[in-house]
Amino acid sequence: MTQEQLNRYKVISSLIDGKLSISEAAMSLGLSERQIKRLKKGVMERGPAFLIHKNTGRKPQHALTDELKSKIISLKQSDKYKNANFKHFMELLEEHEGIAISYSCLHTILTKAGINSPKKRRRFKPHRRRKRKPQEGLLIQMNATPF
């Protein structure tokens, strides 16, 4: 059980023992009185296991499989796609391999595997900021318009 679930159990058990009222338990847990009644009933019927979420420890239904992740990593490390950046690699996966995956998911998979996107250096910016004058008021400002 997590710390939050243990805290909930402690408050609900003190509610069952009669040490707290429903409104006090609702205030301490930040829930409505209706939810407190529901939790109390569940703990009385099923015990503390009622407070643990049923999906705890399960993999999400929409998550990518480990085989697909390892296939993507091996394709990226192969000579065929080695020099492609992440966006281009995503497009190549969809076009040639038939794997449709979002950029953010692909980026997460590859960066966790220690693969960085090959990027060029940033382009030189021709405009640079001027150096600050040593004292305030030394900068001369003029208006060059004839008006």
Side-chain angles (χ1 to χ4, degrees):
M1 290 181 94
T2 64
Q3 191 63 37
E4 182 182 355
Q5 292 167 343
L6 286 172
N7 185 34
R8 278 189 178 186
Y9 179 67
K10 193 168 28 172
V11 171
I12 296 297
S13 62
S14 63
L15 173 68
I16 293 170
D17 294 339
K19 296 176 186 171
L20 285 176
S21 67
I22 292 178
S23 60
E24 291 172 340
M27 288 288 290
S28 66
L29 293 178
L31 298 172
S32 66
E33 292 183 11
R34 179 179 168 277
Q35 293 299 320
I36 295 297
K37 290 176 188 174
R38 181 184 64 82
L39 291 175
K40 178 184 172 186
K41 180 182 174 187
V43 168
M44 288 175 70
E45 290 176 0
R46 297 189 197 134
F50 180 77
L51 297 174
I52 299 173
H53 197 277
K54 305 303 182 270
N55 277 347
T56 301
R58 292 186 184 175
K59 196 170 184 179
Q61 186 70 29
H62 62 278
L64 293 176
T65 61
D66 293 333
E67 298 88 36
L68 182 62
K69 288 180 184 179
S70 61
K71 182 178 179 182
I72 290 171
I73 292 169
S74 63
L75 283 171
K76 178 62 179 156
Q77 291 173 338
S78 69
D79 291 334
K80 188 175 180 182
Y81 302 117
K82 192 160 190 91
N83 295 329
N85 63 19
F86 286 178
K87 188 71 173 178
H88 188 216
F89 180 58
M90 180 189 80
E91 294 167 357
L92 291 173
L93 280 177
E94 190 168 359
E95 185 178 328
H96 297 293
E97 307 296 331
I99 300 173
I101 188 171
S102 69
Y103 177 81
S104 60
C105 187
L106 179 72
H107 184 273
T108 304
I109 291 169
L110 294 177
T111 51
K112 281 185 180 177
I115 302 170
N116 293 325
S117 182
K119 296 179 182 175
K120 301 289 183 192
R121 291 185 183 158
R122 285 191 174 191
R123 189 175 65 84
F124 169 73
K125 293 183 180 177
H127 178 72
R128 293 192 178 179
R129 294 181 58 94
R130 65 167 178 81
K131 291 186 179 179
R132 292 213 170 265
K133 297 294 181 183
Q135 292 177 338
E136 192 174 332
L138 289 180
L139 181 67
I140 300 172
Q141 296 177 346
M142 289 192 263
N143 188 354
T145 62
F147 302 104

